Amino acid sequence: MAGSSHGHTPAAWTGVIIAFIGFCVSGAFMVMSVPAGFWAGMVIVLIGGVIGGLMSKAGLGQPRNARTARKTQEREPAGA
């Protein structure tokens, strides 16, 4: 996984950070028994996914050609 640069982009980091904040908001409001706050946090989680996707489409994600080139490469033997 480390050789693939999976998730090492501004789009991935931004999306995950926003989703994590939404998760924390939802968790806090769930403990406080406030359903509206819980659902607001879940909306923040979804917004994080949307923003990450939009940033990726805007060119801040992993280049598409890097994904396909990696799939076609052969793997080295484990002892190499």
Side-chain angles (χ1 to χ4, degrees):
M1 190 71 80
S4 67
S5 296
H6 177 74
H8 299 290
T9 64
W13 279 100
T14 303
V16 168
I17 289 170
I18 293 171
F20 180 71
I21 291 169
F23 175 77
C24 291
V25 168
S26 288
F29 280 108
M30 183 170 56
V31 171
M32 292 187 288
S33 297
V34 181
F38 168 80
W39 289 111
M42 294 306 293
V43 168
I44 295 171
V45 170
L46 292 174
I47 289 171
V50 169
I51 289 176
L54 290 174
M55 287 178 69
S56 182
K57 289 193 184 290
L60 295 172
Q62 187 173 4
R64 188 162 298 277
N65 58 0
R67 293 181 205 161
T68 56
R70 190 176 52 256
K71 288 180 184 177
T72 59
Q73 294 174 348
E74 291 186 32
R75 293 181 180 228
E76 294 181 17

